[in-house]
Structure formats: C-alpha cells, structure tokens
Amino acid sequence: MKNIRRKIVYAVCGGIFLVSMVLMLYYGKETFYVDNDTTPPHVYDYHFALITEEVGNEYWDLIETGAKEEAASHNIYLEYTGPKKADDDEKLQDLDRMISAKVDGIISQGISGERFVDLVHKATENGIPVVTVDTDVPKSERKAYTGTDNYYAGFIAGQTLVKDTKGKQYVGVVAGSFDALNQQARLQGFKDAIKSENRIELVDSKESNISEIGAVQATYSLLRQNPEITVLFGMSALDGVGMVQGVGEIDPSDYPYIISFDILPGTLELIEEGKIAATVVQYPKKMGETAVEMLLELQKKSVIQPLHYIETGIIKKEDISNGEIVSEADQP
Ligand code: BGC
C-alpha cells in the first residue's frame, strides 16, 4: 500500500516536472527569441519628391499613382508631399524642405510668383533637377514640363461652345484659383476662341478654391448676381460636379450649357445624365509617369526635351458608356 502511494507521488511529481519543462521551453523561447533576420533595408537608386497642389485631391491622386507606379518599376523612392488644402505658401515651404533634404529630383506643380523661380534656382545650384507637372513656369530654371497645353485646352473649350450654341450667350466662369497659372492660360485660350463671336459675352468669374463645395458656392453667386447667364465654364477638376449642384440650388428656368474640365468619375456621370454638355480631357496618371521618366533621364544627362505635352480633347455624352470613355477625345 505504501509502495503504491509512493509510486503515485512519483508519477504526479514527474508529470508536474514534465509540464513545467515544456512550458519553460515554450515561453522561454518566446521571451528570449532574437530575430536573426539580417535582411538589409531596401536600398533605392534614387529619391524623388512630388509636390502636389493638394493632398487627397482626386485629380492629384492620379498624378501620384502614375508617378509611384513608374518610380516602383525603376527602384526609385517617391515621396508625395503638399498641403492638405491648396495653399501656395505651404507648397513653397515643401519645395524648400525637399531641397534641404537633398533629394535626387523634384516634380512640382508650377507656382506663380518670384519665390518659386528663386527656389527652382536654389535647387539647380544644389544640383537637384526640377520638373514641372500640370502647370508650367517656363521662366524658371525648371528642366522640363509635362502636362496639358493649358492655353490650347481652354481654346478648345471655347471652340466647343461656339460650335454647340446659337444666338446670344452670357458666360460665367468658375476658376480653381485666379492666381494659378494654368487657370490663367485656360481662360486666355477660352477668350481667344470666342473673341470673334460678338454673340458670346463673358460676364463674370468666381473662384472655387479647387473644391466641390467652393464650386457650388461660386456658381450660386454667379447665377444670383447675373441671372442672364446661359453658359457656365468650370476650369478645374471638381468644378463640373459643383456647378451642377449650384445650378440645382437656384433652379433657373433655362438650364445652362455647362462645359467643364477633366474626366473624374463624377463628371462623366453628369455628362451621361445630360447635365454637363462637354468636358476637356486631361490624363493626370500619364503626367505622373512622364514626370518620373523625365527626372530619371535627368540623372544621366543635364538637358532633355523641355516640353512634353500630354494630349487633350473634348468628351461628350456620345463618347461615354456606363461611366467609361469609349471613344477618342475630339479635337473641335
Ligand atoms: C487642374 C489642377 C487642379 C485640379 C483641381 C485640374 O483641372 O489641372 O491644377 O489642381 O484641377 O482639382
């Protein structure tokens, strides 16, 4: 009897010992495990920066996507930076910061004013090539520009209006920003295209600050202050959608002829619904890709072809099916 009891005690003690050993080995390994992964961090060939007009803007998201995809396929690190809400001072600070960070190349929207010209000069002195995208500043030392020919884009908007309308027309313009050089070039092109038509008169213009809500407000006050308006022309990517909402707030007896910019999904939807008559096409993803290719070329030589215009044209209802563009953009 004593023997059996002793055997039970030994068995229990042995069991406890075994369990503790297993637990100790398991948790000991978890606690004192040292990661032996010695893979070095990824080394990129170049570090480029892309300075946007506005982080989170749908149009700039596409430039970012194009640039990042192109950068990834060439082992380039692409840093995307800029203000959360369009602001020239912040963009200029970012440009200065990227020069101090000694990146290998900078892609930036061209900004009006001498400070941009000075900063591009500073970058050049520091051996950092700058490429402008979307908006050019030819008088700066930027090595090249890629984007739409903004004057031409405004011009074909004007030609389309001339072709599509008859009789007296009063135009209200919504601009992303009056200071933006691309908006100024688009407006100049538009004015030149309509100047021989005495029947078309530009009556007023307001800023949307490149936001949809800004375009709603701009349209509302344009129509309130100028009830004779029969045409609305929006010159930045979110203006088309905002203008349609703004018209809805006033509900004029005659729905205006609306011409917009860009082919973001919301705009294409409204063209299919017949609320926007036409839009000027831009290809922001292609701009991003091309800008990276240009900077890459500039790592090997100091001079490249300075102007790389991305095609543009006009899209109307007949060119869209289920939200997709199904035919080539027209040249009016
Ligand atoms: C312009 C950009 C602008 C964007 C705003 C585009 O049409 O080309 O400069 O930032 O609209 O959404």
Side-chain angles (χ1 to χ4, degrees):
M1 191 62 191
K2 237 183 180 176
N3 251 351
I4 294 176
R5 205 180 296 150
R6 192 177 300 146
K7 273 185 188 158
I8 292 174
V9 171
Y10 284 162
V12 170
C13 289
I16 292 174
F17 178 73
L18 264 176
V19 170
S20 346
M21 279 299 283
V22 170
L23 288 177
M24 193 189 82
L25 282 174
Y26 178 74
Y27 286 110
K29 177 177 155 281
E30 291 287 294
T31 313
F32 300 109
Y33 177 72
V34 176
D35 189 351
N36 275 332
D37 185 4
T38 50
T39 322
H42 189 94
V43 178
Y44 291 97
D45 292 341
Y46 301 109
H47 176 181
F48 294 166
L50 166 57
I51 299 164
T52 173
E53 175 156 34
E54 190 175 84
V55 173
N57 177 292
E58 254 182 291
Y59 168 89
W60 283 93
D61 284 352
L62 292 166
I63 297 188
E64 180 193 8
T65 305
K68 282 207 167 145
E69 281 177 14
E70 193 59 28
S73 66
H74 292 286
N75 194 34
I76 295 163
Y77 173 60
L78 188 109
E79 189 169 346
Y80 184 62
T81 179
K84 288 216 171 60
K85 188 78 212 81
D87 179 311
D88 280 356
D89 285 341
E90 258 189 70
K91 268 185 285 180
L92 291 164
Q93 276 167 25
D94 275 335
L95 178 54
D96 204 7
R97 194 166 54 82
M98 287 301 136
I99 298 169
S100 308
K102 297 192 168 34
V103 295
D104 299 305
I106 298 174
I107 302 163
S108 175
Q109 183 189 36
I111 305 166
S112 61
E114 282 314 301
R115 179 123 172 84
F116 180 76
V117 175
D118 291 347
L119 284 170
V120 176
H121 175 71
K122 183 174 169 186
T124 312
E125 296 268 280
N126 281 275
I128 305 170
V130 176
V131 162
T132 46
V133 69
D134 174 75
T135 306
D136 197 14
V137 182
K139 67 169 184 180
S140 69
E141 288 167 62
R142 57 90 175 122
K143 298 280 184 190
Y145 165 71
T146 183
T148 305
D149 177 341
N150 286 300
Y151 173 84
Y152 176 71
F155 192 83
I156 58 175
Q159 282 183 314
T160 306
L161 173 65
V162 171
K163 266 177 114 182
D164 285 0
T165 58
K166 287 195 177 69
K168 189 80 191 160
Q169 302 295 333
Y170 298 96
V171 186
V173 172
V174 176
S177 151
F178 292 143
D179 291 338
L181 295 169
N182 63 354
Q183 302 291 289
Q184 292 171 9
R186 288 173 195 180
L187 189 57
Q188 192 54 53
F190 181 81
K191 282 182 178 166
D192 287 351
I194 61 169
K195 78 171 170 227
S196 56
E197 297 285 315
N198 290 333
R199 67 184 181 88
I200 304 181
E201 203 180 307
L202 209 153
V203 290
D204 200 357
S205 53
K206 302 253 180 256
E207 282 176 307
S208 66
N209 298 315
I210 70 162
S211 78
E212 193 177 310
I213 185 70
V216 177
Q217 284 157 359
T219 307
Y220 184 85
S221 33
L222 275 176
L223 294 175
R224 260 278 129 86
Q225 290 161 21
N226 312 277
E228 73 275 27
I229 283 179
T230 53
V231 173
L232 286 167
F233 173 39
M235 299 197 299
S236 73
L238 300 170
D239 295 342
V241 177
M243 287 190 306
V244 170
Q245 285 178 48
V247 171
E249 307 249 326
I250 298 257
D251 199 16
S253 48
D254 285 326
Y255 192 86
Y257 174 96
I258 299 184
I259 182 158
S260 64
F261 247 86
D262 293 289
I263 48 171
L264 292 177
T267 304
L268 294 186
E269 217 173 274
L270 292 170
I271 296 177
E272 266 196 293
E273 285 174 23
K275 292 186 173 142
I276 296 179
T279 198
V280 183
V281 176
Q282 293 203 92
Y283 298 103
K285 185 162 180 250
K286 190 129 179 235
M287 293 178 201
E289 286 163 8
T290 312
V292 169
E293 280 165 20
M294 285 172 144
L295 273 190
L296 194 57
E297 227 187 310
L298 283 162
Q299 302 303 310
K300 285 152 205 153
K301 42 186 173 180
S302 59
V303 180
I304 62 166
Q305 172 66 34
L307 284 181
H308 195 305
Y309 287 136
I310 310 280
E311 66 267 40
T312 179
I314 299 288
I315 288 286
K316 291 185 175 175
K317 192 173 178 163
E318 59 269 26
D319 305 312
I320 307 168
S321 171
N322 296 322
E324 299 288 327
I325 296 176
V326 289
S327 46
E328 286 226 336
D330 294 325
Q331 306 301 318

